[in-house]
Amino acid sequence: MNNSGLIAIAAAIAIAVSTIFPAIAQGLTAKSAMESIARQPDAAKDIRSALIISLALMEALTIYGLLIAFMIVSKI
């Protein structure tokens, strides 16, 4: 296998890891937030705002992985 093949595999792994784990974390976070809102509807506004901020921070990890994949692919 030549260098360009290894670089392509590295980029694919970077995208896969940076997409799978934040997606799992986002699902668990949303599940917990919905359970919290169901238990205490009065705190829904505070829970929702904390949820949106935490989801945005998790999504940033995916964007960083995409950026790293672009940097890796530019080496080909």
Side-chain angles (χ1 to χ4, degrees), residues 9 27 42 53-54 59 69 75:
I9 290 173
D42 295 337
I53 291 170
S54 63
E59 193 64 30
K75 300 266 187 218

Side-chain angles (χ1 to χ4, degrees), residues 16-65:
V17 169
S18 69
T19 303
I20 291 171
F21 293 115
I24 293 169
Q26 286 177 348
L28 292 174
T29 304
K31 176 186 150 239
S32 298
M34 293 302 126
E35 288 175 354
S36 298
I37 290 173
R39 275 191 237 120
Q40 196 171 12
D42 295 337
K45 184 178 177 185
D46 295 331
I47 295 169
R48 189 178 308 115
S49 61
L51 172 68
I52 291 171
I53 291 170
S54 63
L55 290 177
L57 292 174
M58 286 182 236
E59 193 64 30
L61 296 174
T62 304
I63 294 170
Y64 293 150

